[in-house]
Coordinates of all heavy atoms in Angstrom, one line a residue:
M1 N 0.8 -1.1 0.0 CA 0.0 0.0 0.0 C 0.9 1.2 0.0 O 1.9 1.3 0.8 CB -0.9 0.1 1.2 CG -1.9 1.2 1.2 SD -2.8 1.6 2.6 CE -3.6 0.2 3.2
K2 N 0.6 2.2 -0.9 CA 1.3 3.4 -1.0 C 0.9 4.5 0.0 O -0.3 4.5 0.3 CB 1.2 4.0 -2.4 CG 1.9 3.2 -3.4 CD 1.7 3.9 -4.8 CE 2.4 3.2 -5.8 NZ 2.3 3.9 -7.1
K3 N 1.7 5.2 0.5 CA 1.4 6.3 1.4 C 1.4 7.5 0.6 O 2.3 7.8 -0.1 CB 2.4 6.4 2.5 CG 2.4 5.3 3.5 CD 3.3 5.6 4.7 CE 3.2 4.4 5.7 NZ 4.1 4.7 6.8
F4 N 0.4 8.4 0.8 CA 0.3 9.6 0.1 C 0.5 10.8 1.1 O 0.0 10.7 2.1 CB -1.2 9.8 -0.5 CG -1.4 8.8 -1.6 CD1 -2.1 7.6 -1.3 CD2 -1.0 9.0 -2.9 CE1 -2.3 6.7 -2.3 CE2 -1.2 8.1 -3.9 CZ -1.9 6.9 -3.6
K5 N 1.3 11.7 0.6 CA 1.5 12.9 1.4 C 0.4 13.9 1.1 O -0.1 14.1 0.0 CB 2.8 13.7 0.9 CG 4.0 13.1 1.4 CD 5.1 14.1 1.1 CE 6.4 13.6 1.8 NZ 7.5 14.5 1.4
Q6 N -0.2 14.4 2.1 CA -1.3 15.3 2.0 C -0.7 16.7 1.8 O 0.0 17.2 2.7 CB -2.2 15.3 3.2 CG -3.4 16.1 3.1 CD -4.4 16.0 4.3 OE1 -4.0 15.5 5.2 NE2 -5.5 16.7 4.2
K7 N -1.0 17.4 0.7 CA -0.5 18.7 0.4 C -1.7 19.7 0.7 O -2.8 19.4 0.3 CB 0.0 18.8 -0.9 CG 1.3 18.1 -1.3 CD 1.7 18.5 -2.7 CE 3.1 17.9 -2.9 NZ 3.6 18.3 -4.3
L8 N -1.3 20.8 1.1 CA -2.3 21.9 1.2 C -2.4 22.5 -0.2 O -1.3 22.9 -0.7 CB -1.9 22.9 2.3 CG -1.8 22.5 3.7 CD1 -1.2 23.7 4.6 CD2 -3.2 22.2 4.1
K9 N -3.5 22.6 -0.7 CA -3.8 23.1 -2.1 C -4.4 24.4 -1.9 O -5.3 24.6 -1.1 CB -4.5 22.1 -2.9 CG -3.7 20.9 -3.1 CD -4.5 20.0 -4.1 CE -3.8 18.7 -4.5 NZ -4.5 17.8 -5.2
S10 N -4.2 25.3 -2.8 CA -4.9 26.6 -3.0 C -6.1 26.3 -3.8 O -6.0 25.9 -5.0 CB -4.0 27.6 -3.6 OG -2.9 27.9 -2.7
H11 N -7.2 26.5 -3.2 CA -8.5 26.1 -3.9 C -9.1 27.4 -4.6 O -9.9 27.4 -5.3 CB -9.6 25.5 -3.0 CG -9.1 24.2 -2.5 ND1 -9.1 23.1 -3.2 CD2 -8.7 23.8 -1.2 CE1 -8.7 22.1 -2.6 NE2 -8.5 22.5 -1.3
F12 N -8.6 28.6 -4.1 CA -9.0 29.9 -4.5 C -7.9 30.7 -5.0 O -6.8 30.6 -4.5 CB -9.8 30.6 -3.4 CG -11.0 29.9 -2.8 CD1 -10.9 29.2 -1.7 CD2 -12.2 30.0 -3.5 CE1 -12.0 28.5 -1.2 CE2 -13.2 29.3 -3.0 CZ -13.2 28.7 -1.9
P13 N -8.2 31.6 -5.9 CA -7.1 32.5 -6.4 C -6.8 33.6 -5.4 O -5.8 34.3 -5.5 CB -7.6 33.0 -7.7 CG -9.1 32.8 -7.9 CD -9.3 31.6 -6.9
Y14 N -7.8 34.0 -4.6 CA -7.6 35.1 -3.7 C -8.1 34.7 -2.3 O -9.0 34.0 -2.1 CB -8.4 36.3 -4.1 CG -8.1 36.7 -5.6 CD1 -8.9 36.4 -6.6 CD2 -7.1 37.5 -5.8 CE1 -8.7 36.8 -7.9 CE2 -6.7 37.9 -7.1 CZ -7.5 37.5 -8.2 OH -7.3 37.9 -9.4
Y15 N -7.3 35.2 -1.3 CA -7.6 35.0 0.2 C -7.6 36.3 0.8 O -6.7 37.1 0.7 CB -6.5 34.1 0.7 CG -6.7 32.6 0.2 CD1 -6.0 32.2 -1.0 CD2 -7.5 31.8 0.8 CE1 -6.1 31.0 -1.4 CE2 -7.6 30.4 0.3 CZ -6.9 30.1 -0.8 OH -7.0 28.9 -1.3
V16 N -8.7 36.5 1.7 CA -8.8 37.8 2.5 C -8.4 37.3 3.9 O -8.9 36.4 4.5 CB -10.2 38.3 2.5 CG1 -10.4 39.4 3.4 CG2 -10.5 38.7 1.0
V17 N -7.5 38.2 4.5 CA -7.3 38.0 6.0 C -7.6 39.3 6.6 O -6.8 40.3 6.6 CB -5.7 37.7 6.1 CG1 -5.4 37.6 7.6 CG2 -5.3 36.4 5.4
P18 N -8.7 39.4 7.2 CA -9.2 40.6 7.9 C -8.6 40.8 9.3 O -8.5 41.9 9.8 CB -10.7 40.6 7.9 CG -11.0 39.1 7.9 CD -9.9 38.4 7.2
V19 N -8.2 39.7 9.8 CA -7.6 39.6 11.2 C -6.4 38.8 11.2 O -6.5 37.6 11.0 CB -8.6 39.1 12.3 CG1 -8.0 39.0 13.7 CG2 -9.9 39.9 12.2
G20 N -5.2 39.4 11.4 CA -4.0 38.6 11.4 C -2.8 39.6 11.6 O -3.0 40.8 11.8
S21 N -1.7 39.1 11.6 CA -0.4 39.9 11.7 C -0.3 40.9 10.6 O 0.3 42.0 10.8 CB 0.8 39.1 12.0 OG 1.0 38.2 10.8
E22 N -0.8 40.4 9.4 CA -0.8 41.3 8.2 C -2.1 41.1 7.6 O -2.6 39.9 7.4 CB 0.3 40.9 7.2 CG 0.5 41.7 6.1 CD 1.5 41.4 5.1 OE1 2.4 40.5 5.5 OE2 1.5 41.8 4.0
T23 N -2.9 42.1 7.4 CA -4.2 42.0 6.8 C -4.2 42.4 5.3 O -3.3 43.1 4.9 CB -5.2 42.9 7.6 OG1 -4.8 44.3 7.4 CG2 -5.3 42.5 9.1
G24 N -5.3 41.9 4.6 CA -5.4 42.3 3.1 C -5.8 41.1 2.3 O -6.2 40.1 2.8
I25 N -5.5 41.2 1.1 CA -5.8 40.2 0.0 C -4.5 39.6 -0.4 O -3.6 40.3 -0.8 CB -6.6 40.8 -1.1 CG1 -7.9 41.4 -0.7 CG2 -6.9 39.8 -2.2 CD1 -8.6 42.2 -1.6
F26 N -4.5 38.2 -0.3 CA -3.3 37.5 -0.8 C -3.7 36.7 -1.9 O -4.8 36.2 -2.1 CB -2.9 36.6 0.4 CG -2.5 37.4 1.6 CD1 -3.4 37.9 2.5 CD2 -1.1 37.7 1.8 CE1 -3.0 38.5 3.7 CE2 -0.8 38.4 3.0 CZ -1.6 38.9 3.8
D27 N -2.6 36.3 -2.7 CA -2.8 35.5 -3.9 C -2.4 34.1 -3.8 O -2.5 33.3 -4.7 CB -2.1 36.1 -5.2 CG -0.5 36.1 -4.8 OD1 -0.1 35.7 -3.8 OD2 0.2 36.6 -5.9
S28 N -2.1 33.7 -2.6 CA -1.9 32.2 -2.3 C -2.3 31.9 -0.8 O -2.3 32.7 0.0 CB -0.5 31.8 -2.6 OG 0.4 32.2 -1.5
F29 N -2.8 30.7 -0.7 CA -3.2 30.2 0.7 C -2.0 30.3 1.7 O -2.1 30.7 2.9 CB -3.7 28.8 0.5 CG -3.8 28.2 1.9 CD1 -4.9 28.5 2.7 CD2 -3.0 27.2 2.4 CE1 -5.1 27.9 4.0 CE2 -3.1 26.7 3.7 CZ -4.2 27.0 4.5
H30 N -0.7 29.9 1.1 CA 0.4 29.8 2.1 C 0.8 31.2 2.6 O 1.2 31.4 3.7 CB 1.5 29.2 1.2 CG 1.3 27.8 0.8 ND1 1.1 26.8 1.8 CD2 1.0 27.3 -0.4 CE1 0.8 25.7 1.1 NE2 0.7 25.9 -0.2
K31 N 0.7 32.3 1.7 CA 1.0 33.6 2.2 C -0.1 34.1 3.2 O 0.2 34.7 4.2 CB 1.0 34.6 1.0 CG 2.1 34.4 0.1 CD 2.1 35.3 -1.1 CE 3.1 35.1 -2.1 NZ 2.9 35.9 -3.3
A32 N -1.3 33.8 2.9 CA -2.4 34.1 3.8 C -2.2 33.4 5.2 O -2.4 34.0 6.2 CB -3.8 33.8 3.2
R33 N -2.0 32.2 5.1 CA -1.8 31.4 6.3 C -0.7 31.9 7.3 O -0.9 32.0 8.5 CB -1.4 30.0 6.0 CG -1.5 29.0 7.2 CD -1.3 27.6 6.7 NE -1.4 26.7 7.9 CZ -1.2 25.4 7.8 NH1 -1.0 24.9 6.7 NH2 -1.2 24.7 8.9
K34 N 0.4 32.4 6.7 CA 1.5 32.9 7.4 C 1.1 34.1 8.2 O 1.6 34.4 9.3 CB 2.7 33.2 6.6 CG 3.5 32.0 6.1 CD 4.7 32.5 5.2 CE 5.4 31.3 4.7 NZ 6.5 31.7 3.9
S35 N 0.2 34.9 7.6 CA -0.3 36.1 8.3 C -1.3 36.0 9.4 O -1.5 36.9 10.2 CB -0.8 37.1 7.2 OG -2.0 36.7 6.8
Y36 N -2.0 34.8 9.4 CA -3.0 34.7 10.5 C -2.7 33.4 11.4 O -3.3 33.4 12.4 CB -4.4 34.5 9.9 CG -4.8 33.2 9.3 CD1 -5.2 32.1 10.1 CD2 -4.5 32.9 8.0 CE1 -5.5 30.9 9.6 CE2 -4.8 31.6 7.4 CZ -5.4 30.6 8.3 OH -5.6 29.4 7.8
E37 N -1.7 32.7 11.1 CA -1.6 31.4 11.7 C -1.4 31.5 13.3 O -2.1 30.8 13.9 CB -0.4 30.6 11.1 CG -0.4 29.1 11.5 CD 0.6 28.4 10.7 OE1 1.6 28.9 10.3 OE2 0.2 27.3 10.3
N38 N -0.5 32.2 13.8 CA -0.4 32.3 15.2 C -0.8 33.6 15.8 O -0.4 34.1 16.9 CB 1.1 32.1 15.6 CG 1.6 30.7 15.3 OD1 0.9 29.7 15.6 ND2 2.7 30.6 14.6
Y39 N -1.9 34.1 15.2 CA -2.5 35.4 15.6 C -3.8 35.0 16.4 O -4.6 34.3 15.8 CB -2.7 36.2 14.4 CG -3.0 37.7 14.8 CD1 -1.9 38.6 15.0 CD2 -4.3 38.2 14.9 CE1 -2.2 39.9 15.4 CE2 -4.5 39.4 15.2 CZ -3.5 40.3 15.4 OH -3.7 41.6 15.7
P40 N -4.0 35.7 17.5 CA -5.3 35.4 18.2 C -6.5 35.9 17.4 O -6.6 36.9 16.9 CB -5.2 36.3 19.4 CG -3.8 36.8 19.6 CD -3.2 36.6 18.2
H41 N -7.4 34.9 17.2 CA -8.6 35.0 16.4 C -8.3 35.3 15.0 O -9.1 36.0 14.3 CB -9.5 36.1 17.1 CG -9.8 35.9 18.5 ND1 -10.8 35.0 18.9 CD2 -9.4 36.5 19.5 CE1 -10.8 34.9 20.2 NE2 -10.1 35.9 20.6
G42 N -7.2 34.9 14.5 CA -6.8 35.1 13.0 C -7.7 34.3 12.2 O -8.1 33.2 12.6
R43 N -8.0 34.8 11.1 CA -8.9 34.1 10.2 C -8.6 34.5 8.7 O -8.1 35.6 8.5 CB -10.3 34.3 10.5 CG -10.8 35.6 10.6 CD -12.3 35.7 11.1 NE -13.0 34.5 11.1 CZ -14.2 34.4 11.4 NH1 -14.9 35.4 11.8 NH2 -14.9 33.2 11.3
C44 N -9.2 33.7 7.8 CA -9.1 34.1 6.4 C -10.2 33.3 5.6 O -10.8 32.3 6.2 CB -7.8 33.8 5.7 SG -7.5 32.0 5.3
E45 N -10.5 33.8 4.4 CA -11.5 33.2 3.6 C -11.1 33.3 2.1 O -10.5 34.4 1.8 CB -12.9 33.9 3.8 CG -14.0 33.2 2.9 CD -15.3 33.9 3.2 OE1 -15.4 34.9 3.7 OE2 -16.3 33.3 2.7
G46 N -11.3 32.3 1.4 CA -11.0 32.3 0.0 C -12.1 32.8 -0.9 O -13.3 32.5 -0.7
F47 N -11.6 33.4 -2.0 CA -12.6 33.9 -3.1 C -12.2 33.5 -4.4 O -10.9 33.4 -4.7 CB -12.7 35.4 -2.9 CG -13.4 35.8 -1.6 CD1 -12.7 36.0 -0.5 CD2 -14.8 36.0 -1.7 CE1 -13.2 36.4 0.7 CE2 -15.4 36.4 -0.3 CZ -14.7 36.6 0.8
H48 N -13.1 33.4 -5.3 CA -12.9 33.1 -6.8 C -12.5 34.3 -7.5 O -11.9 34.2 -8.6 CB -14.0 32.3 -7.3 CG -14.1 31.0 -6.8 ND1 -13.3 29.9 -7.1 CD2 -15.1 30.3 -6.0 CE1 -13.6 28.9 -6.5 NE2 -14.7 29.1 -5.9
T49 N -13.0 35.5 -7.0 CA -12.8 36.7 -7.8 C -12.1 37.8 -7.0 O -12.4 37.8 -5.7 CB -14.1 37.3 -8.4 OG1 -14.9 37.7 -7.3 CG2 -14.9 36.3 -9.3
L50 N -11.4 38.7 -7.5 CA -10.8 39.8 -6.8 C -11.9 40.7 -6.3 O -11.8 41.2 -5.2 CB -9.8 40.5 -7.7 CG -9.1 41.7 -7.1 CD1 -8.3 41.2 -5.9 CD2 -8.2 42.4 -8.2
K51 N -12.9 40.8 -7.1 CA -14.1 41.8 -6.6 C -14.7 41.2 -5.3 O -15.0 42.0 -4.4 CB -15.1 41.9 -7.8 CG -16.3 42.7 -7.4 CD -16.3 44.1 -7.7 CE -17.6 44.8 -7.5 NZ -17.7 45.6 -6.4
G52 N -14.9 39.9 -5.2 CA -15.5 39.4 -4.1 C -14.6 39.6 -2.9 O -15.0 39.8 -1.7
A53 N -13.3 39.4 -3.1 CA -12.3 39.5 -2.0 C -12.3 41.0 -1.5 O -12.3 41.2 -0.3 CB -10.9 39.0 -2.5
Q54 N -12.3 41.8 -2.4 CA -12.3 43.3 -2.1 C -13.6 43.7 -1.4 O -13.5 44.5 -0.3 CB -12.1 44.2 -3.3 CG -10.8 44.1 -3.9 CD -10.7 44.8 -5.3 OE1 -11.7 44.8 -6.0 NE2 -9.5 45.2 -5.7
D55 N -14.7 43.2 -1.8 CA -16.0 43.5 -1.2 C -16.0 43.0 0.3 O -16.5 43.7 1.3 CB -17.1 42.8 -1.9 CG -17.4 43.6 -3.2 OD1 -16.9 44.7 -3.4 OD2 -18.2 43.0 -3.9
A56 N -15.4 41.7 0.6 CA -15.5 41.2 1.9 C -14.4 42.0 2.8 O -14.8 42.3 3.9 CB -15.0 39.8 1.8
L57 N -13.4 42.4 2.3 CA -12.3 43.2 3.1 C -13.0 44.6 3.4 O -12.9 45.1 4.6 CB -11.1 43.3 2.3 CG -9.9 43.8 3.2 CD1 -9.6 42.9 4.3 CD2 -8.6 43.9 2.2
N58 N -13.7 45.1 2.5 CA -14.3 46.5 2.7 C -15.5 46.4 3.7 O -15.6 47.2 4.6 CB -14.9 47.0 1.4 CG -13.8 47.5 0.5 OD1 -12.7 47.8 1.0 ND2 -14.1 47.6 -0.7
R59 N -16.3 45.3 3.6 CA -17.3 45.0 4.6 C -16.7 45.0 6.1 O -17.3 45.4 7.0 CB -18.1 43.8 4.3 CG -19.2 44.0 3.2 CD -20.2 42.9 3.2 NE -19.6 41.5 3.5 CZ -19.1 40.7 2.6 NH1 -19.1 41.0 1.4 NH2 -18.8 39.5 3.0
H60 N -15.6 44.2 6.1 CA -15.0 44.1 7.5 C -14.5 45.4 8.0 O -14.7 45.7 9.1 CB -13.9 43.1 7.4 CG -13.3 42.7 8.7 ND1 -12.2 43.5 9.3 CD2 -13.7 41.8 9.7 CE1 -12.0 43.0 10.4 NE2 -12.8 42.0 10.7
A61 N -13.8 46.2 7.1 CA -13.3 47.5 7.5 C -14.4 48.4 7.9 O -14.3 49.1 9.0 CB -12.5 48.1 6.3
N62 N -15.6 48.4 7.1 CA -16.8 49.2 7.5 C -17.4 48.9 8.9 O -17.8 49.6 9.7 CB -17.8 49.2 6.5 CG -17.3 49.9 5.2 OD1 -16.4 50.8 5.2 ND2 -17.9 49.5 4.0
A63 N -17.4 47.6 9.2 CA -18.0 47.2 10.4 C -17.1 47.5 11.6 O -17.5 47.8 12.7 CB -18.0 45.5 10.4
L64 N -15.7 47.6 11.3 CA -14.7 48.1 12.4 C -15.0 49.6 12.7 O -14.9 50.0 13.8 CB -13.4 47.8 12.0 CG -12.9 46.4 12.0 CD1 -11.5 46.3 11.5 CD2 -13.0 45.7 13.3
R65 N -15.4 50.3 11.6 CA -15.5 51.8 11.8 C -16.9 52.0 12.4 O -16.9 53.0 13.1 CB -15.5 52.5 10.4 CG -14.1 52.7 9.9 CD -14.1 53.5 8.7 NE -13.1 53.0 7.7 CZ -13.4 52.3 6.6 NH1 -14.6 52.2 6.2 NH2 -12.4 51.8 5.9
D66 N -17.9 51.3 12.2 CA -19.2 51.6 12.6 C -19.5 50.6 13.8 O -19.7 49.4 13.6 CB -20.3 51.4 11.5 CG -21.7 51.7 11.9 OD1 -21.9 52.1 13.2 OD2 -22.6 51.5 11.2
S67 N -19.6 51.1 15.0 CA -19.8 50.3 16.2 C -21.1 49.6 16.2 O -21.3 48.6 16.9 CB -19.6 51.1 17.5 OG -20.6 52.1 17.6
N68 N -22.1 50.1 15.4 CA -23.4 49.4 15.5 C -23.5 48.3 14.3 O -24.5 47.5 14.2 CB -24.6 50.4 15.2 CG -24.6 51.4 16.3 OD1 -24.4 51.0 17.5 ND2 -24.9 52.6 16.1
A69 N -22.5 48.4 13.4 CA -22.5 47.4 12.3 C -22.0 46.0 12.7 O -21.2 45.9 13.7 CB -21.7 47.9 11.1
E70 N -22.6 45.0 12.1 CA -22.1 43.6 12.3 C -21.5 43.1 11.0 O -22.0 43.3 10.0 CB -23.2 42.7 12.8 CG -23.7 43.0 14.2 CD -24.7 41.9 14.5 OE1 -24.6 40.7 14.3 OE2 -25.7 42.3 15.2
F71 N -20.3 42.4 11.1 CA -19.7 41.9 10.0 C -20.1 40.5 9.8 O -20.0 39.7 10.9 CB -18.1 42.0 10.1 CG -17.6 41.3 8.9 CD1 -17.6 41.8 7.6 CD2 -16.9 40.0 9.1 CE1 -17.0 41.2 6.6 CE2 -16.2 39.5 8.0 CZ -16.3 40.0 6.8
H72 N -20.6 40.0 8.7 CA -20.9 38.6 8.5 C -20.1 38.2 7.2 O -20.1 39.0 6.2 CB -22.4 38.4 8.3 CG -23.2 38.8 9.4 ND1 -23.2 37.9 10.6 CD2 -24.0 39.8 9.7 CE1 -24.0 38.5 11.4 NE2 -24.4 39.7 10.9
W73 N -19.5 37.0 7.3 CA -18.7 36.6 6.0 C -19.6 36.4 4.8 O -19.2 36.6 3.7 CB -18.1 35.2 6.4 CG -16.8 35.4 7.1 CD1 -16.6 35.2 8.5 CD2 -15.6 35.8 6.6 NE1 -15.4 35.4 8.8 CE2 -14.7 35.8 7.7 CE3 -15.1 36.3 5.4 CZ2 -13.3 36.2 7.5 CZ3 -13.8 36.6 5.2 CH2 -12.9 36.6 6.3
G74 N -20.8 36.0 5.0 CA -21.6 35.7 3.9 C -22.8 34.8 4.4 O -23.2 34.7 5.5
P75 N -23.3 33.9 3.4 CA -24.4 33.1 3.8 C -24.0 32.0 5.0 O -24.9 31.8 5.8 CB -24.7 32.3 2.5 CG -23.9 32.9 1.5 CD -23.0 33.8 2.0
T76 N -22.8 31.6 4.9 CA -22.4 30.6 6.0 C -21.0 31.2 6.6 O -20.1 31.4 5.7 CB -22.2 29.2 5.4 OG1 -21.3 29.3 4.4 CG2 -23.5 28.6 5.0
P77 N -20.9 31.3 7.8 CA -19.6 31.6 8.4 C -18.6 30.6 8.2 O -18.9 29.4 8.1 CB -19.9 31.8 9.9 CG -21.1 31.0 10.2 CD -21.8 30.9 8.9
P78 N -17.3 31.0 8.1 CA -16.2 30.0 8.0 C -16.0 29.2 9.3 O -16.3 29.7 10.4 CB -15.0 30.8 7.6 CG -15.3 32.2 8.2 CD -16.8 32.3 8.1
P79 N -15.5 28.0 9.2 CA -15.3 27.3 10.4 C -14.1 27.9 11.2 O -13.4 28.7 10.8 CB -14.8 25.9 9.9 CG -14.3 26.1 8.6 CD -15.1 27.3 8.0
R80 N -14.1 27.6 12.5 CA -13.2 28.1 13.5 C -11.8 27.5 13.2 O -11.7 26.4 12.6 CB -13.5 27.9 14.8 CG -14.8 28.5 15.3 CD -14.5 30.0 15.7 NE -15.8 30.7 16.0 CZ -15.8 32.0 16.1 NH1 -14.8 32.7 15.8 NH2 -16.9 32.5 16.4
G81 N -10.7 28.2 13.7 CA -9.4 27.5 13.5 C -8.7 27.9 12.1 O -9.0 29.0 11.7
N82 N -7.9 27.1 11.7 CA -7.4 27.2 10.4 C -8.4 27.0 9.3 O -8.5 25.8 8.9 CB -6.1 26.3 10.2 CG -5.0 26.7 11.2 OD1 -4.9 27.7 11.7 ND2 -4.1 25.7 11.3
N83 N -9.0 28.0 8.9 CA -10.2 27.8 8.1 C -10.2 28.3 6.6 O -11.2 28.6 6.1 CB -11.3 28.6 8.9 CG -10.9 30.0 9.2 OD1 -9.9 30.6 8.7 ND2 -11.6 30.6 10.1
C84 N -9.0 28.3 6.1 CA -8.9 28.5 4.7 C -9.0 27.3 3.8 O -8.6 26.2 4.2 CB -7.7 29.3 4.3 SG -7.9 31.0 4.3

């Protein structure tokens, strides 16, 4: 029986990290992961389009500015932990 190495694959072309040591839009999972990995409550989400990634980052930034606003990732929240 062969043993297979499990590789982390980038499933999306863009990743948004709104909470991490470095925030923004990244073009690979590995770059995004480095910016949120050991950060308290660090998180990221993958997107198929740059527009979708920019919209999510802007929504998060607006929620931080407006104390009455709530930020939601979208229809379903991402899982906790390393969630890209």
Side-chain angles (χ1 to χ4, degrees):
M1 184 188 316
K2 290 183 180 180
K3 290 185 179 180
F4 294 98
K5 279 187 175 179
Q6 185 178 8
K7 285 186 174 183
L8 292 175
K9 293 183 180 178
S10 295
H11 297 289
F12 298 98
Y14 304 102
Y15 291 89
V16 172
V17 177
V19 179
S21 59
E22 185 180 344
T23 60
I25 299 172
F26 297 84
D27 60 0
S28 79
F29 170 75
H30 300 290
K31 291 177 187 175
R33 186 175 182 182
K34 285 181 184 179
S35 72
Y36 79 87
E37 195 166 38
N38 292 313
Y39 195 84
H41 305 287
R43 57 185 342 181
C44 79
E45 183 179 9
F47 290 88
H48 290 290
T49 64
L50 180 58
K51 173 94 172 100
Q54 290 170 332
D55 289 346
L57 192 59
N58 289 336
R59 281 195 326 268
H60 186 267
N62 290 338
L64 291 176
R65 282 188 219 109
D66 182 2
S67 61
N68 295 325
E70 287 187 39
F71 174 73
H72 298 286
W73 278 104
T76 57
R80 298 277 179 193
N82 293 340
N83 48 16
C84 271

